[in-house]
Amino acid sequence: MLHYPYPINSKLPTAGISIFSKMSKLAAEYEAVNLAQGFPDFNPPEQLVEAFSRAMAEGFNQYAPSDGLPILRTQISQKIGQLYQVQYNPITEITITSGATQALFTAFSAFIQKGDEVILFDPSYDSYAPSIKLQGGVPVHIPLKAPDFLYDWELVERSINKRTRMIVVNSPHNPTGVVFTEGDIQQLDRLTCENGILILSDEVYEHILFDGYQHLSLSSHPRIRNKALVVSSFGKTYHTTGWKVGYVCAPAELMVEFRKAHQFTVFSVNTPAQKAYADFLSIDNSDRTLGAFYEKKRDFLIEGLKDTPFKILQPQGTYFFLADYSSISSLDDIAFTEWLCKEVGVALVPLSPFYHQNPASKLVRFCFAKKEETLLEAINRMKQL
Ligand code: PMP
Ligand code: GLN
C-alpha cells in the first residue's frame, strides 16, 4: 500500500463518490434491478453502431479538429435551425464536447473567476456545484418550490448582485422532470437584460417531453440566446451515454473564450463517434419521436407501481420521475435506497444529494430508460412493499 505523507489541501473537501456511481455499484453487488443511474439498458440504433465501425474502418481514428468535425457541426446547426428557428454558425458557434459534463465544466472554467457567484436551482445535477467550486466560484443555491418544483423568480431577483456571473438552468429537469414555461423564460430574460449575466442552459433531455409539452430551448429566444451557452448531449438522444459526445452552442464572442478552455481540457473529442453521429443525423429523425418512446416506458412503470405505496410525481420530461416513499418507511432517503437495494433488490437514487441543504423530504428518483422486462422485474420485486 502506497502512502503520500503530506497534508492534502483538498479543493473539494466535502465531495465523495457520486451517488450514481455508488448506487450502480451497490446494485451490482446485490444483484438489484438498477433503476438508479440514468442510462438505457438497451442498445443504440444498429445503423449508428455500424456507422461507428465504418468510421474506424474508413480511417477516422486520429485527432479531430479541436472544435469538432465540421460535418457534425453542420448537421447540428441544420437540426437546431429546423427545431428552434435559430442559425448557429457551425464554424464559430458550435463546439463538440466530451459529453455535456465537459461542456458544463469548460463553460465554468472559461467564464467563472474567483469569487464569481453562480445561481443554481436545487435539486441540481451533481456536477454543477463542484465544477464551479474548482474554478474558485461560489454556487448560490436557490430551491425550486415544493411540491411542484416551481421557480421562485423573486428569490432569484433578490439573490442577484454585482458578483453574479451566471445562472444555470436545466429543462427538462433532472431529477424532477419539470419543464420551463414561457413565464419562466420571460422572468429569466427580465432578470438578465441589463447586467451581463450569462446563462448556461443544460438541455440534454431536449427531446424527451410528454403529454404534449414542447421543449422551450433558450436558443430560440431572440435576446436570451445572445448571452446563453446551450448544452446538449447525444448520449440521451441516441442511447449512447457511454460514447460521451455532446455539444455547446453560443454566440461567437462567448465561443472564442469557451474554446480557449476547451482546447486545454480535452483538445478534441472521439473522432469515429463524431463521424458516426454526423452520418446518422443525416438519415435519422428518431429524436422527433423520442418523447413518445419514453412516455410509454414512463406509463408502463407508473401503472405497474400503482398498487405499491409509492406516491409518484408525474414528470413532464426526462427519463426520470420522483416518488414519495413516506408511507413505506421513516428512514432518510439515503438509508431507504440502501435498504431497498439490499432487501428488495431495486436500486433507486435518493434526492438529497441533489441539494446543498437537505430538504429532508422522503423522495427518491426512478429511471425508466430500461427494457420493459427490466421495468417488469422491478415492479414484481416492489409488489412485496
Ligand atoms: N446534465 C444533466 C441534467 C444530466 O442528467 C446529465 C447526465 N445524465 C448530464 C448533464 C451529463 O451528460 P453527459 O453524459 O453527456 O456528460
Ligand atoms: N446523468 C445521469 C443521472 O442523472 C448519470 C451520469 C453519471 O453517472 N455521471 O443518473
Side-chain angles (χ1 to χ4, degrees):
M1 187 83 164
L2 300 177
H3 175 62
Y4 177 74
Y6 306 102
I8 292 174
N9 187 10
S10 174
K11 296 184 83 173
L12 294 174
T14 57
I17 163 180
S18 106
I19 191 64
F20 310 119
S21 308
K22 176 186 153 180
M23 293 316 297
S24 278
K25 184 162 174 274
L26 205 65
E29 208 177 310
Y30 287 87
E31 294 182 4
V33 181
N34 189 353
L35 305 189
Q37 194 176 20
F39 63 88
D41 70 345
F42 43 86
N43 259 343
E46 234 166 75
Q47 280 170 304
L48 179 57
V49 176
E50 282 164 13
F52 199 137
S53 308
R54 197 170 57 241
M56 288 189 289
E58 285 173 357
F60 287 84
N61 300 302
Q62 311 308 331
Y63 294 128
S66 179
D67 309 334
L69 286 187
I71 37 165
L72 179 57
R73 288 185 278 145
T74 300
Q75 290 287 349
I76 293 170
S77 172
Q78 284 169 359
K79 170 181 157 169
I80 294 176
Q82 283 163 15
L83 286 174
Y84 308 128
Q85 289 73 52
V86 54
Q87 237 27 76
Y88 282 101
N89 182 327
I91 299 168
T92 55
E93 298 182 323
I94 298 176
T95 298
I96 310 298
T97 58
S98 181
T101 310
Q102 185 241 313
L104 296 161
F105 187 91
T106 302
F108 295 129
S109 60
F111 296 105
I112 302 306
Q113 314 249 5
K114 191 165 188 289
D116 282 351
E117 294 186 2
V118 181
I119 291 179
L120 303 179
F121 296 96
D122 280 2
S124 56
Y125 187 58
D126 73 335
S127 81
Y128 301 160
S131 305
I132 293 161
K133 287 184 192 162
L134 285 171
Q135 322 305 327
V138 181
V140 174
H141 296 264
I142 296 187
L144 295 175
K145 278 193 287 187
D148 297 323
F149 298 100
L150 301 178
Y151 290 83
D152 183 345
W153 293 109
E154 282 175 22
L155 184 53
V156 177
E157 188 162 14
R158 289 202 300 281
S159 307
I160 289 177
N161 61 58
K162 56 182 190 319
R163 289 183 304 280
T164 309
R165 181 67 180 122
M166 187 184 270
I167 299 177
V168 182
V169 292
N170 167 216
S171 179
H173 183 259
N174 177 9
T176 66
V178 169
V179 304
F180 246 30
T181 64
E182 289 285 359
D184 290 325
I185 292 181
Q186 279 169 19
Q187 292 294 336
L188 190 62
D189 183 34
R190 180 177 71 82
L191 294 178
T192 55
C193 64
E194 280 173 355
N195 47 22
I197 293 176
L198 296 171
I199 295 162
L200 182 54
S201 187
D202 179 347
E203 303 186 8
V204 299
Y205 300 103
E206 66 182 313
H207 298 297
I208 312 179
L209 284 90
F210 313 128
D211 306 322
Y213 281 94
Q214 298 290 317
H215 178 55
L216 300 176
S217 176
L218 295 193
S219 61
S220 63
H221 190 282
R223 275 184 304 275
I224 292 184
R225 66 178 170 231
N226 293 328
K227 52 200 168 196
L229 295 115
V230 178
V231 170
S232 195
S233 171
F234 291 121
K236 315 291 168 186
T237 305
Y238 299 116
H239 320 311
T240 46
T241 61
W243 293 18
K244 294 298 298 185
V245 182
Y247 54 93
V248 58
C249 303
E253 297 82 355
L254 297 180
M255 195 53 90
V256 166
E257 289 305 312
F258 180 93
R259 287 177 176 174
K260 288 181 192 172
H262 171 77
Q263 69 177 337
F264 298 123
T265 314
V266 289
F267 181 72
S268 67
V269 174
N270 187 315
T271 311
Q274 291 193 55
K275 176 67 165 70
Y277 286 128
D279 286 356
F280 192 67
L281 255 70
S282 71
I283 55 163
D284 176 84
N285 52 19
S286 60
D287 52 355
R288 319 293 150 100
T289 50
L290 196 63
F293 172 81
Y294 276 122
E295 188 169 313
K296 265 205 219 132
K297 293 190 181 291
R298 176 198 69 169
D299 293 347
F300 182 80
L301 184 57
I302 290 180
E303 174 65 22
L305 293 174
K306 81 176 184 319
D307 295 327
T308 69
F310 282 110
K311 225 164 67 211
I312 289 160
L313 312 186
Q314 187 93 349
Q316 299 156 354
T318 76
Y319 44 52
F320 307 112
F321 58 71
L322 295 177
D324 182 307
Y325 63 89
S326 56
S327 53
I328 303 172
S329 168
S330 57
L331 291 172
D332 69 42
D333 62 349
I334 305 262
F336 176 71
T337 49
E338 284 173 9
W339 171 82
L340 194 80
C341 182
K342 292 175 188 172
E343 303 299 329
V344 180
V346 179
L348 304 177
V349 166
L351 185 62
S352 55
F354 292 79
Y355 279 90
H356 177 57
Q357 262 186 328
N358 188 353
S361 54
K362 299 258 179 284
L363 292 172
V364 285
R365 190 192 78 175
F366 285 73
C367 172
F368 51 86
K370 307 293 168 190
K371 291 182 231 163
E372 200 168 297
E373 68 204 64
T374 309
L375 297 174
L376 196 57
E377 179 60 29
I379 291 165
N380 287 335
R381 292 184 186 198
M382 297 283 210
K383 284 200 172 129
Q384 60 181 285
L385 290 171

